[in-house]
Amino acid sequence: MWQLRDGAHPVLTDEGGAILDERTGRWSYLTSTASAAVLLLLASTSEEEASDCFAARYSIPGEQASADVYAVAATLTAQGLAHDGQRPTRSRRWWKGWRS
């Protein structure tokens, strides 16, 4: 299941939205359709379910809805704001493992 990672704080409306990355202090701004895709992704159990709802909401073909929802999910995942439900890999801190 796709979800926002800890430290990613969404502000989503039908007019658009933004996601605050707590680690960097930066906002990622979303169009109204991207915001709708995120809302549907968060409310659905799969990208396919979110795509079906997206297609119905905007009266577009299923293939286009799937591509649009996947693009939003992939972009936010690539930015480190979301993950696919599997445990995200943690980067190793430079000070871990060092001995005095």
Side-chain angles (χ1 to χ4, degrees):
M1 174 171 32
W2 187 91
Q3 57 190 355
L4 294 174
R5 69 157 178 77
D6 291 338
H9 306 283
V11 179
L12 306 170
T13 68
D14 286 337
E15 289 82 33
I19 301 174
L20 173 63
D21 185 346
E22 189 178 88
R23 294 180 304 175
T24 64
R26 292 186 179 196
W27 289 90
S28 293
Y29 295 96
L30 306 171
T31 64
S32 58
T33 52
S35 181
V38 171
L39 284 168
L40 291 169
L41 283 163
L42 293 172
S44 301
T45 58
S46 67
E47 282 187 31
E48 293 79 23
E49 183 182 345
S51 295
D52 292 343
C53 294
F54 194 80
R57 179 179 183 150
Y58 290 104
S59 300
I60 59 175
E63 300 82 27
Q64 182 63 51
S66 181
D68 292 349
V69 169
Y70 175 79
V72 170
T75 299
L76 294 176
T77 299
Q79 291 177 352
L81 295 172
H83 57 89
D84 62 3
Q86 297 177 357
R87 189 173 184 185
T89 57
R90 300 187 83 160
S91 59
R92 192 171 168 96
R93 304 282 189 228
W94 66 269
W95 62 85
K96 299 283 184 186
W98 286 80
R99 301 196 186 251
S100 306

